[in-house]
């Protein structure tokens, strides 16, 4: 097995702590403090997580801008929520549309105010530059293009196609902060005082309208009714498949 | 490792554009290039859903496509998807530089993906035929909206078409917006193939032979791709024109856009005129130019770097200088331009003169701050203007003695032109003399010409960030080791000890920890063929680019976790958020929400703000590690 020539592996004596196989092994050093080396270490030693510095004004504004943009995308026609009821299509499954989960909640009256989640983007609400899209998507963009003109259906009301953008001024950070502060104040107050003073409340609302832009539909070009109430939901069923169209 | 960036992009798309889009996007990222049918197959969605999802994604430039032989393939555009996280920053940046209206335009374009100028004008309600059109088609309902629009024109950004076009022209001219061409929707690989085909067809009919010809061929392909990128492709491709005469740098685009802006200027002399002729081409299609924004972010980080090492006022001068340079730089690194060596890069680098800097400088900068003014008592401590004047009042006796400071305040607008120049020049001298070489002096034309070596500066910025992260994780001694390795190259343990002035046994622990984390590595060099450990030298080394990649991927992962965390937090507050978003509650928060609910909401907003802030900080690292570094030289 061994080819010999090495005077035994354990032979440490001889040349004053020479080492194994000619390699210098550092002598035991009590300063290394390896005393508790043999003990099992604590499984989850307490760790202090590093805390990030609070956001600067610049960063807060950036975040505010990001949120504003996101809110507007969410309000716009392209945002979609598939929800829990999305499924892989199986032919034998009946067509069901579930807009609420019976195991979690019962339908309440206020549910009619909840924002309707869109399962499909409403594409026909804005103009497109058709040449940027591949040919096979053209019919999706503009449903009049894909169909042959022979099928004489009712002449459909042409929806008004405009870009929905925000024309009003973006609130500055000061305004956002002021609003937040006011909100917090209100939150503290309303614990104590009863809801009663209608006039004051009215005033508060008006103030609110003046600078809370992100929660203010009036100030926006986006017109929610346009998407839901133009009686076009039926047209979407040409594919005849699952959960498409709008959720009601 | 690429999984993290893929996951991150999917999460971002999900956060902004919802489930359907993100599901299609995730499939494309996971599987790669696919046809429509395959996307439907892999995602488990119906063909109609996939089509709708793809339309949204293409409109936002998140998916690229190419059609060959009537089969269309789709590919995810990861770069663009990542840029979604930057949207807040981009809006803020443009707002800071060009005012709120420009910020509005940019945020709208981010919302829309790309848009035709005409449509944009109509949406802003300033187009020429706008009044007629809207009212006729939609009858009463839209009349109401028209009236409302008129009511609030007070708060609106643009009152006339001229204003909108002027602002758009300015942004186009500065490069923050760019024109959209069909070629921008093609995947990189397809563009490459197509360019190669055309170049071969036109110039290399007999095939490419030999190394010399291959080099020339590659250069021709790059030239064609540059041309497509900067000028659009359609007409050129029809003619198949790709002859050898290519512009060294893409200039024509700038000329073209400048022309637009020129028109804008001339037409804009009468500002209030509502019916100014169309200043920009109405059919022009614009989008936000991410590359250009990255250049601006680079300037920001460099300015911050400078203010850390020199002083605030010098940093202001540096900012002015970099912003002047920015107009001459289109992107942080251009993969289509091969730079052979440092000398070539130095020669092609854009220059900026003292005069330009002086003109671009903000009038309110206190130029004397941060400069030594000839008297030790007077070395100004980079204070604000208000403080300075107070100091002078207190130390009135010094004023009389010191001729240089008699003027009192040294704000740029109160200095004589000559003094201003001298001050700026000394600030630039400071920048030149700093070991990091913020600027380099080139010549004396225009009062002094300067150049910025972005390659070296990026490298020192990256090193700075890496050292910061090492300090945070392993302590100061580890940073000292890394720094020594970076400056001296490969070192063995003894040399490292000597340089860092620590005992050998102290550094072993640190080296081990650093190696485990992948920051440093060892190289073994055997002294002879036997490769015995005793007869081997072990060298420790630090590789910046490797380390950069490592931290970059960690950052992606951290960002993913932040977005996940955001989702979890949102679920925690879901009931209240849903209530606050109810249509009857919006606008009547005070009536319908209880105090408790309001508190919960503001808690949620705070925690989301914290997470988003952290996300944008991580993004700064990604910009630095991924977007700034230039590709290595290719001899």
């Amino acid at each position: 097995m061994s080819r010999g020539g090495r005077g035994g592996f354990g032979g440490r004596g001889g040349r004053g702590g020479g080492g194994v196989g000619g390699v210098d092994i550092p002598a035991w050093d009590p300063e290394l403090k390896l005393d508790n080396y043999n003990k099992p270490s604590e499984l989850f030693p307490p760790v202090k997580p590093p805390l990030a510095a609070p956001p600067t004004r610049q960063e807060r504004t950036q975040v505010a801008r990001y949120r504003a943009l996101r809110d507007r995308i969410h309000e716009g026609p392209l945002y979609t929520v598939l929800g829990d009821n999305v499924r892989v299509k199986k032919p034998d499954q009946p067509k069901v549309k579930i807009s609420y989960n019976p195991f979690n909640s019962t339908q309440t009256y206020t549910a009619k105010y909840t924002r309707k989640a869109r399962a499909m983007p409403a594409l026909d609400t804005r103009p497109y530059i058709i040449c940027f899209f591949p040919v096979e998507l053209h019919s999706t963009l503009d449903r009049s293009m894909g169909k042959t003109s022979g099928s004489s259906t009712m002449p459909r009301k042409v929806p008004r196609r405009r870009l929905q953008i925000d024309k009003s001024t973006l609130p500055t950070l000061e305004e956002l902060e002021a609003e937040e502060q006011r909100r917090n104040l209100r939150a503290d107050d309303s614990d104590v005082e009863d809801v009663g003073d209608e006039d004051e409340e009215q005033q508060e609302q008006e103030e609110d309208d003046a600078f809370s832009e992100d929660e203010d539909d009036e100030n926006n070009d986006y017109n929610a009714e346009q998407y839901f109430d133009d009686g076009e939901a039926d047209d979407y069923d040409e594919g005849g498949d699952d959960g498409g169209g709008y959720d009601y | 490792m690429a999984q993290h960036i893929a996951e991150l992009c999917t999460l971002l798309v999900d956060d902004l554009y919802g489930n359907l889009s993100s599901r299609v996007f995730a499939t494309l990222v996971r599987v790669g290039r696919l046809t429509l049918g395959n996307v439907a197959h892999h995602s488990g969605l119906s063909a109609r859903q996939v089509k709708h999802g793809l339309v949204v994604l293409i409109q936002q430039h998140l998916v690229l496509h190419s059609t060959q032989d009537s089969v269309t393939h789709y590919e995810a555009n990861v770069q663009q998807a990542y840029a979604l996280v930057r949207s807040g920053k981009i809006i803020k940046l443009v707002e800071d530089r060009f005012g709120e209206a420009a910020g509005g335009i940019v945020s709208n374009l981010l919302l829309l993906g790309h848009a035709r100028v005409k449509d944009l004008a109509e949406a802003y309600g300033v187009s020429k035929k706008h009044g007629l059109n809207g009212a006729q088609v939609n009858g009463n309902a839209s009349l109401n909206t028209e009236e409302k629009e008129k009511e609030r024109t007070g708060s609106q950004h643009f009152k006339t078409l001229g204003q909108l076009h002027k602002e758009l022209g300015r942004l186009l001219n500065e490069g923050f917006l760019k024109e959209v061409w069909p070629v921008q929707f093609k995947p990189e690989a397809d563009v490459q193939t197509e360019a190669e085909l055309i170049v071969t067809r036109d110039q290399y009919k007999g095939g490419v032979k030999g190394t010399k010809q291959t080099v020339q061929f590659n250069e021709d392909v790059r030239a064609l791709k540059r041309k497509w990128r900067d000028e659009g492709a359609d007409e050129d491709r029809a003619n198949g024109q790709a002859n050898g005469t290519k512009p060294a740098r893409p200039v024509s685009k700038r000329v073209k856009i400048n022309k637009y802006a020129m028109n804008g200027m001339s037409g804009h002399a009468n500002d209030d005129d509502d019916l100014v002729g169309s200043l920009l081409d109405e059919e022009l299609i614009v989008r936000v130019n991410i590359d250009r924004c990255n250049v601006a972010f680079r300037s920001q980080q460099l300015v911050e770097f400078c203010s850390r090492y020199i002083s605030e006022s010098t940093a202001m001068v540096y900012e002015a200088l970099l912003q002047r340079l920015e107009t001459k730089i289109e992107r942080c690194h251009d993969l289509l331009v091969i730079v052979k060596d440092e000398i070539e890069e130095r020669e092609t680098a854009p220059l900026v003169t003292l005069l330009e800097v002086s003109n671009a400088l903000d009038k309110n900068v206190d130029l004397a701050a941060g400069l030594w003014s000839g008297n030790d008592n007077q070395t100004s401590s980079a204070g604000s203007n208000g403080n300075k004047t107070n100091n002078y009042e207190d130390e009135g006796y010094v004023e009389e003695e010191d001729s240089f400071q008699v003027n009192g305040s040294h704000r740029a607008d109160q200095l004589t032109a000559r003094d201003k120049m001298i001050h700026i020049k000394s600030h630039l001298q400071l920048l030149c003399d700093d070991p990091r070489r913020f600027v380099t002096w080139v010549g004396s034309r225009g009062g002094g010409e300067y150049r910025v070596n972005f390659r070296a500066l990026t490298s020192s910025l990256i090193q700075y960030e890496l050292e910061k992260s090492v300090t945070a994780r392993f302590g100061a001694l580890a940073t000292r080791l890394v720094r020594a390795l970076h400056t001296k190259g490969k070192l063995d343990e003894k040399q490292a000890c000597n340089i860092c002035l620590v005992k050998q046994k102290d550094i072993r622990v640190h080296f081990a920890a650093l190696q485990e984390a992948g920051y440093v590595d060892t190289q073994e060099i055997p002294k002879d063929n036997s490769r015995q450990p005793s007869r081997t030298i072990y060298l420790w080394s630090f590789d910046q680019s490797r380390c950069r990649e490592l931290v970059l991927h960690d950052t992606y992962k951290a960002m993913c976790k932040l977005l996940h965390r955001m989702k979890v937090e949102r679920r925690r507050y879901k009931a209240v958020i849903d209530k606050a978003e109810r249509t009857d509650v919006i606008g009547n928060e005070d009536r319908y929400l209880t105090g408790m609910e309001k508190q919960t909401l503001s808690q949620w907003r705070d925690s989301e703000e914290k997470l988003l802030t952290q996300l944008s900080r991580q993004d700064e690292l990604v910009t630095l590690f991924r977007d700034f570094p230039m590709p290595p030289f290719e001899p």
Side-chain angles (χ1 to χ4, degrees):
Chain A
M1 193 179 103
S2 151
R3 277 179 283 149
R6 289 256 165 100
F9 276 96
R12 306 197 59 187
R15 296 172 286 129
V20 179
V23 188
D24 285 334
I25 292 179
W28 173 255
D29 189 346
E31 276 182 35
L32 271 177
K33 289 192 185 135
L34 294 175
D35 299 340
N36 50 4
Y37 184 73
N38 291 327
K39 289 180 201 158
S41 63
E42 202 177 337
L43 193 56
F44 297 111
V47 178
K48 265 193 186 167
L51 282 181
T56 60
R57 296 189 69 77
Q58 174 88 2
E59 283 168 337
R60 293 194 66 183
T61 326
Q62 284 170 359
V63 169
R65 293 288 173 270
Y66 178 80
R67 273 174 171 172
L69 180 72
R70 190 182 57 183
D71 286 349
R72 282 167 52 205
I73 293 174
H74 286 195
E75 283 165 17
L78 300 186
Y79 183 66
T80 45
V81 178
L82 292 179
D84 303 330
N85 53 337
V86 69
R87 54 180 171 72
V88 180
K89 188 174 160 58
K90 283 182 192 137
D92 54 332
Q93 228 165 3
K95 218 173 162 182
V96 276
K97 281 184 181 174
I98 312 167
S99 56
Y100 74 101
N101 186 349
F103 295 102
N104 285 347
S105 60
T106 43
Q107 195 89 317
T108 54
Y109 176 73
T110 48
K112 74 171 184 175
Y113 294 119
T114 49
R115 197 188 279 175
K116 295 289 178 294
R118 207 188 293 275
M120 288 290 246
L123 294 178
D124 53 353
T125 52
R126 55 163 290 175
Y128 294 91
I129 292 112
I130 274 267
C131 66
F132 291 155
F133 293 87
V135 182
E136 61 187 14
L137 293 181
H138 285 184
S139 59
T140 315
L141 282 173
D142 193 348
R143 275 172 289 143
S144 57
M145 275 183 66
K147 280 179 193 160
T148 50
S149 53
S151 61
S152 61
T153 48
M154 285 256 293
R156 276 193 289 120
K157 196 178 76 183
V158 182
R160 184 162 155 227
R161 296 184 173 214
R162 261 175 77 178
L163 301 172
Q164 276 106 40
I165 57 168
D166 196 1
K167 288 178 286 191
S168 54
T169 49
L170 300 161
T172 61
L173 187 62
E174 286 78 20
E175 285 166 349
L176 287 174
E177 269 172 357
E179 188 199 345
E180 204 167 293
Q181 223 166 34
R182 195 185 52 80
R183 256 194 217 152
N184 289 347
L185 275 181
R186 289 296 297 184
D188 296 341
D189 288 353
S190 55
D191 286 340
V192 189
E193 84 183 42
D194 209 8
V195 186
D197 209 341
E198 279 290 329
D199 287 350
E200 194 198 324
E201 210 154 272
Q202 202 69 30
Q203 257 182 356
E204 285 285 348
Q205 273 173 38
E206 276 165 20
E207 265 176 48
D208 198 3
D209 285 355
F211 40 65
S212 79
E213 167 273 327
D214 49 345
E215 291 170 354
D216 194 0
D217 270 356
E218 298 288 300
N219 221 359
N220 222 327
D221 200 34
Y222 170 62
N223 178 7
E225 273 73 35
Q226 198 182 331
Y227 304 122
F228 296 110
D229 262 346
D230 57 355
E232 290 213 337
D234 304 353
D235 294 336
Y236 262 121
D237 277 349
E238 55 193 44
D241 45 15
D242 54 315
Y246 311 120
D247 262 350
Y248 68 105
Chain B
M1 289 241 230
Q3 72 187 25
H4 297 310
I5 175 81
E7 190 189 352
L8 174 63
C9 290
T10 313
L11 282 168
L12 282 170
V13 173
D14 189 51
D15 191 34
L16 287 175
Y17 293 101
N19 299 146
L20 179 60
S21 313
S22 78
R23 208 144 142 180
V24 175
F25 186 83
T27 313
L28 285 171
V29 165
R30 198 181 65 232
V31 190
R33 196 181 163 91
L34 289 176
T35 60
L36 186 70
N38 285 337
V39 178
H41 172 74
H42 284 284
S43 62
L45 296 165
S46 74
R48 203 167 68 87
Q49 280 175 319
V50 171
K51 276 185 181 175
H52 278 71
L54 282 173
V55 167
V56 174
L57 291 169
I58 292 174
Q59 176 66 32
Q60 306 294 342
H61 302 266
L62 298 171
V63 160
L64 306 169
H65 60 85
S66 81
T67 308
Q68 264 168 354
D69 307 330
S70 71
V71 180
T72 308
H73 287 270
Y74 300 92
E75 210 174 296
N77 185 357
V78 176
Q79 288 284 326
Q80 184 73 26
Y82 178 81
L84 289 177
V85 77
R86 256 170 232 173
S87 26
K89 266 185 204 163
I90 293 173
I91 298 170
K92 179 80 173 90
L93 174 87
V94 174
E95 217 177 291
D96 285 348
R97 288 211 188 162
F98 303 100
E100 203 183 298
I105 290 185
V106 166
S107 97
N108 282 326
L109 280 174
L110 287 171
L111 175 75
L112 298 170
H114 55 255
R116 200 178 268 137
V117 171
K118 192 171 65 182
D119 296 333
L120 207 59
E122 198 184 324
Y124 267 109
V126 293
S127 89
K128 278 174 280 183
K129 57 186 180 189
H130 170 70
L132 294 168
N133 199 6
Q136 276 178 357
V137 176
N138 281 323
N140 267 343
S142 75
L143 262 178
N144 284 340
T145 56
E146 299 292 323
E147 277 164 20
K148 270 183 207 156
E149 268 167 27
K150 269 179 197 147
E151 274 170 27
R152 36 164 221 270
T153 34
S155 66
Q156 210 163 295
H157 285 145
F158 301 107
K159 293 199 183 78
T160 65
L161 188 63
Q163 286 176 354
L164 176 68
H165 278 207
K166 187 194 171 197
E167 202 62 56
L168 280 172
R170 188 152 71 124
L171 287 173
L172 274 167
N173 206 13
E174 290 277 339
F176 283 95
L177 300 185
K178 67 177 175 187
E179 280 182 70
V180 189
W181 295 296
V183 77
Q184 289 171 10
F185 290 85
K186 285 208 163 210
E188 169 61 24
D190 288 88
V191 176
Q192 174 74 23
T193 323
E194 203 168 321
E196 278 175 10
L197 271 176
I198 287 177
V199 172
T200 319
R201 196 186 64 202
D202 293 346
Q203 295 167 18
Y204 299 89
K205 288 209 174 79
V208 187
K209 293 175 200 114
T211 41
K212 211 172 177 184
Q213 219 178 3
T214 316
V215 171
Q216 186 56 37
F217 173 76
N218 287 337
E219 182 49 40
D220 287 347
V221 170
R222 274 195 297 273
L224 185 61
K225 278 167 76 182
R226 271 204 303 269
K227 198 171 167 193
W228 286 347
R229 185 188 63 190
D230 299 322
E231 300 164 39
D234 287 329
E235 322 85 34
D236 306 322
R237 247 185 292 183
N239 302 338
Q241 286 286 332
N243 43 16
T245 55
K246 63 250 169 198
R249 290 282 299 162
V251 274
S252 40
K253 177 191 166 195
R254 229 156 244 298
V255 172
K256 204 160 73 184
I257 290 171
N258 270 330
K259 197 181 70 196
Y260 290 133
M262 286 302 225
N263 287 344
M265 286 316 193
S266 62
H268 202 72
N270 41 2
D271 192 9
D272 337 41
D273 192 357
D274 207 349
L275 298 165
V276 202
S278 46
L279 314 170
L280 286 171
D281 186 3
E282 291 259 284
E283 297 296 318
L284 191 71
I285 304 158
V286 290
R287 66 183 275 202
V288 176
N289 186 359
I290 303 280
D291 286 336
R292 177 64 179 79
C293 294
N294 283 342
V295 177
F297 290 136
R298 180 169 70 181
S299 302
Q300 274 184 354
Q301 291 206 11
L302 285 177
V303 167
E304 209 177 301
F305 195 46
C306 167
S307 74
R308 217 177 278 141
Y309 281 105
I310 306 181
S311 77
E312 296 261 328
S313 51
T314 313
M316 301 274 244
V317 175
Y318 195 39
E319 191 176 10
L321 180 138
L322 286 174
Q323 286 192 7
R324 284 306 306 160
L325 272 182
E326 270 178 29
T327 54
K328 300 168 190 166
I329 304 170
E330 287 190 30
R331 41 184 66 76
C332 289
H333 54 258
D334 194 345
L335 293 173
L336 297 181
V337 176
I338 297 294
V339 185
K340 285 200 183 65
D341 51 14
E342 223 168 303
I343 300 164
E344 193 188 326
E345 189 172 70
R346 212 184 302 150
E347 277 162 6
T348 53
L351 303 174
V352 63
T353 63
L354 178 63
L355 211 61
E356 284 176 306
V357 178
S358 148
N359 289 337
L361 196 62
D362 184 9
K363 294 274 181 296
N364 294 321
V365 181
D366 186 358
L367 282 174
L371 289 180
W372 185 65
S373 54
N375 186 339
D376 273 352
N377 299 336
Q378 285 286 317
T379 41
S380 354
S381 52
S384 65
N385 293 329
N387 287 340
K388 266 193 94 62
T389 41
N390 282 340
N391 284 342
Y392 288 133
E393 277 164 15
D394 293 345
E395 306 168 15
Y397 62 98
V398 187
E399 257 178 60
E400 288 165 4
E401 290 168 12
D402 185 14
S403 63
F404 197 74
Q405 293 279 10
V406 166
N407 290 337
S409 167
H410 284 266
R411 282 167 44 172
D413 51 347
Q414 288 163 10
L415 288 170
T416 61
R418 195 174 151 273
D419 280 349
K420 190 178 165 190
M421 284 295 191
I422 292 172
H423 277 96
I424 296 176
K425 203 163 190 172
S426 24
H427 278 295
L428 289 175
Q429 192 59 44
L430 272 179
L431 288 167
C432 286
D433 292 343
D434 191 89
R436 279 152 289 271
R437 297 260 175 277
F438 286 110
V439 298
T440 325
W441 185 81
V442 182
S444 51
R445 201 173 60 86
E449 257 184 322
Y450 296 88
R451 185 182 53 221
V452 177
N453 184 357
F454 285 110
R455 187 183 289 273
L457 272 173
T458 311
S459 168
S460 40
L461 250 184
I462 290 174
Q463 185 62 25
Y464 176 81
E465 279 300 331
L466 288 177
E467 279 168 12
K468 237 165 73 173
S469 109
V470 168
T471 317
R473 282 179 68 177
F474 306 102
L477 184 54
T479 315
R480 203 196 294 184
L481 293 173
V482 165
R483 218 176 257 182
L485 289 178
H486 181 60
T487 45
K488 304 283 178 195
K490 290 174 177 163
L491 293 177
D492 77 357
E493 219 169 65
K494 258 192 196 132
Q495 287 170 314
C497 289
N498 289 336
I499 289 167
C500 297
L501 305 176
V502 270
K503 279 188 225 153
Q504 210 161 353
K505 69 181 179 219
D506 288 342
I507 67 173
R508 258 183 214 148
V509 190
H510 290 284
F511 266 143
L514 281 171
Q515 193 192 14
E516 201 180 350
Y519 283 87
V520 299
D521 215 347
T522 51
Q523 181 180 18
E524 31 187 287
I525 302 173
K527 283 179 184 163
D528 52 25
N529 275 339
S530 65
R531 289 192 163 266
Q532 283 178 10
S534 61
R535 306 209 30 86
T536 304
I537 304 169
Y538 290 92
L539 296 179
W540 292 95
S541 67
F542 169 81
D543 183 1
Q544 197 194 59
S545 60
R546 205 189 100 149
C547 210
R548 194 189 76 207
E549 288 291 311
L550 198 82
V551 179
L552 180 62
H553 286 287
D554 283 354
T555 316
Y556 286 148
K557 197 171 174 183
M559 290 172 88
C560 280
K561 294 202 167 150
L562 284 170
L563 284 169
H564 278 305
R565 186 73 226 163
M566 225 155 72
K567 273 189 175 176
V568 173
E569 292 280 319
R570 197 195 315 251
R571 213 173 300 145
R572 227 172 79 189
Y573 297 102
K574 190 170 184 297
V576 185
I577 295 173
D578 281 352
K579 185 172 175 189
E581 281 181 354
R582 251 164 46 186
T583 47
D584 58 334
V585 176
I586 290 177
N588 301 325
E589 278 89 351
D590 290 333
R591 182 143 39 132
Y592 288 117
L593 294 183
T594 64
M596 197 61 183
E597 278 169 339
K598 278 186 216 161
Q599 262 177 9
T600 323
L601 259 186
S602 86
Q603 259 173 31
W604 153 241
R605 291 185 74 80
D606 283 349
S607 57
E608 197 196 33
E609 188 181 61
K610 259 184 211 162
L611 290 168
L612 283 174
T613 309
Q614 201 53 35
L615 197 67
S616 93
R617 283 178 190 165
Q618 304 272 2
D619 169 56
E620 258 165 49
L621 276 186
V622 175
T623 342
L624 172 61
F625 288 149
R626 190 194 65 180
D627 298 327
F628 296 167
M630 302 183 174
F633 295 121
E634 268 183 44

